Amino acid sequence: MKASGRAYKIGKFPFSANGRARTMAETQGFVKFVADAVTDEILGCHIIGANAADLLQEVVLAMEFRGASEDVGITVHPHPTLSEAVKEAALAVLGRPIHW
């Protein structure tokens, strides 16, 4: 991203702040979004931790349709689940995480 000169924003949410991760004793890791600074289009996502492969599919689908981090952030995610960390990271791009 930096080499391209494209302006971007980052949103990150740690598993240690996620209720399901805490009850599973899987608090190591995080979800991190990279989004265009102007359009909010999702440019990439890093998920490190428990069930990362299962969580990534939501972001891949959003990216396929050139979705924004806000699109993921305003989507309902069940509670308590690890997928809430994806929602929180998406909202963090916009400076609006709920549980952090």
Side-chain angles (χ1 to χ4, degrees), residues 6 8 17 20 28-29 39 45 57 63 66 71 83 85-87 99:
R6 189 172 187 176
Y8 62 91
R20 176 63 76 179
Q28 297 297 311
T39 66
C45 180
Q57 57 81 27
M63 290 178 71
R66 300 189 70 174
D71 295 327
S83 69
V86 175
K87 175 187 180 89
H99 294 100

Side-chain angles (χ1 to χ4, degrees), residues 78-97:
H79 174 76
T81 63
L82 291 174
S83 69
E84 287 180 291
V86 175
K87 175 187 180 89
E88 294 282 1
L91 290 173
V93 171
L94 306 169
R96 303 188 328 233

Side-chain angles (χ1 to χ4, degrees), residues 6-47:
R6 189 172 187 176
Y8 62 91
K9 300 182 292 185
I10 300 290
K12 190 172 178 181
F13 191 80
F15 276 9
S16 61
N18 176 268
R20 176 63 76 179
R22 294 171 65 98
T23 61
M24 293 170 51
E26 294 282 359
T27 57
Q28 297 297 311
F30 59 88
V31 179
K32 179 172 120 179
F33 273 81
V34 180
D36 185 275
V38 176
T39 66
D40 192 37
E41 178 184 349
I42 301 167
L43 303 175
C45 180
H46 304 262
I47 302 178

